[in-house]
Amino acid sequence: MREIQNSPIGIFDSGVGGLTVLRELYRQLPQESILYFADTARLPYGNRPSGEILQFVREILTWMAQQNVKMVIMACNTSSALALEAVRQEFDFPILGVILPGAKAAVKQGQRIGVISTPATAKSNAYRQAIQEIDPNAQVWQIPCPEFVPLIEQNRIWEPYTKQMAQLYLQPLLARNIDTLVYGCTHYRHLETVIKGIVPPTVNLIDPARYVVQAAEKELKLMALGQTRPALPTRFAVSGCPQTFSQLSQQWLGYHPTVESVSLPTMVTAAVTWEEVEMLE
Ligand code: DGL
């Protein structure tokens, strides 16, 4: 029987955004085996109602539990903002989200904090709440950027249109004289070159991916869950087209990953109760 320490860490996102967390895992925890799931058949998440996201997250975590993961990192801000609290107690492995580690890192760097995110994350107010709980004097401006995820998933990062959209989204934050900018969606780090071309170099850029992996390392130590054998190759699975994901990912991974297609266990019967939907809205 395989000991739990040598089970993989599960990470998931709607698409290629989670690769920014995967890269941090490779950098900070190279000894760990990883299972990566992308819900590409249902992407983007960021325009969806919270009840739907909660249901998707439950389906993904149920599948991850069947794969015997020892921990899950939600490599998705939208899921972390809308579903983490609800699902944390429902599974018997630790589940980490990106919002709190990102918020903690942001308040260490500045007081005038801009957050770019999906519309669902901005609407949830999760970053403002997390930041102001740590530092009530910090000012927070959240800007929804609905076009970014589709542009990244369509591999249109280098088109002039993407730069124009970035200018449009960032302009109100620059007008507020922010000193810190949080990538409040894991996809956005893929736009770093475009964003750095617009934001002055004095603005601190915070990628929560880096800090959630630091938190994961602490948690693994605390629970004595660190891997004891050499890491296995990362296993990739998607709900949509495996070839599309493999081709798109290559630019960030440096290799063509082998990608499996999976259909998630669908939770047909009232996976989300009306009370939960009301609580989330
Ligand atoms: N990358 C995800 C996030 O961090 C989801 C983006 C989406 O599918 O809209 O929010």
Side-chain angles (χ1 to χ4, degrees):
M1 211 182 82
R2 195 163 62 164
E3 322 88 297
I4 183 78
Q5 296 98 306
N6 295 312
S7 293
I9 298 175
I11 76 172
F12 74 87
D13 180 40
S14 59
V16 292
L19 297 179
T20 59
V21 177
L22 180 64
R23 276 193 317 208
E24 280 298 325
L25 279 162
Y26 286 161
R27 199 171 67 81
Q28 297 184 46
L29 294 174
Q31 70 281 14
E32 294 293 335
S33 304
I34 316 291
L35 166 62
Y36 187 103
F37 177 75
D39 199 1
T40 52
R42 303 189 287 197
L43 144 155
Y45 274 13
N47 310 324
R48 290 180 180 272
S50 45
E52 206 166 40
I53 290 165
L54 181 51
Q55 165 149 352
F56 295 169
V57 168
R58 281 196 172 123
E59 290 171 4
I60 294 168
L61 292 173
T62 303
W63 178 76
M64 290 237 164
Q66 291 163 2
Q67 312 308 308
N68 286 321
V69 294
K70 63 179 174 187
M71 167 188 274
V72 167
I73 301 177
M74 291 186 172
C76 170
N77 288 262
T78 310
S79 307
S80 307
L82 298 171
L84 179 61
E85 286 317 312
V87 297
R88 210 170 221 162
Q89 304 307 323
E90 296 174 9
F91 296 85
D92 59 5
F93 40 77
I95 306 173
L96 277 65
V98 275
I99 307 268
L100 189 60
K104 280 186 185 163
V107 294
K108 278 193 192 143
Q109 304 264 344
Q111 281 277 302
R112 301 179 65 80
I113 302 169
V115 182
I116 46 174
S117 74
T118 65
T121 301
K123 188 172 163 229
S124 78
N125 236 344
Y127 269 104
R128 173 170 294 129
Q129 274 166 12
I131 289 170
Q132 291 185 337
E133 237 165 70
I134 308 166
D135 181 354
N137 296 321
Q139 287 183 280
V140 183
W141 295 276
Q142 304 169 115
I143 300 287
C145 312
E147 298 238 21
F148 275 168
V149 169
L151 286 169
I152 294 163
E153 291 286 339
Q154 289 160 18
N155 210 4
R156 296 174 57 195
I157 293 175
W158 304 109
E159 288 183 13
Y161 179 74
T162 305
K163 187 164 182 197
Q164 279 165 25
M165 288 314 297
Q167 271 160 339
L168 198 75
Y169 292 143
L170 291 166
Q171 199 282 326
L173 295 176
L174 298 179
R176 298 283 184 179
N177 233 342
I178 55 163
D179 55 26
T180 303
L181 177 69
V182 179
Y183 293 119
C185 169
T186 50
H187 278 78
Y188 298 175
R189 177 73 193 266
H190 295 316
L191 294 175
E192 188 172 42
T193 311
V194 177
I195 290 172
K196 278 188 171 165
I198 298 169
V199 171
T202 46
V203 173
N204 307 303
L205 294 175
I206 302 290
D207 181 5
R210 178 169 163 198
Y211 304 99
V212 75
V213 173
Q214 285 176 4
E217 184 175 12
K218 274 195 198 147
E219 186 84 7
L220 290 174
K221 273 207 185 104
L222 201 72
M223 300 187 70
L225 279 177
Q227 179 125 347
T228 58
R229 294 212 218 108
L232 297 173
T234 304
R235 185 179 156 204
F236 292 92
V238 296
S239 56
C241 173
Q243 288 80 11
T244 307
F245 183 85
S246 177
Q247 253 161 28
L248 185 63
S249 304
Q250 198 230 347
Q251 61 193 298
W252 296 298
L253 292 171
Y255 63 93
H256 260 295
T258 305
V259 183
E260 298 164 39
S261 151
V262 300
S263 34
L264 292 174
T266 320
M267 298 174 167
V268 193
T269 47
V272 180
T273 63
W274 284 113
E275 288 78 9
E276 280 176 324
V277 172
E278 271 167 22
M279 245 171 58
L280 288 163
E281 293 299 338

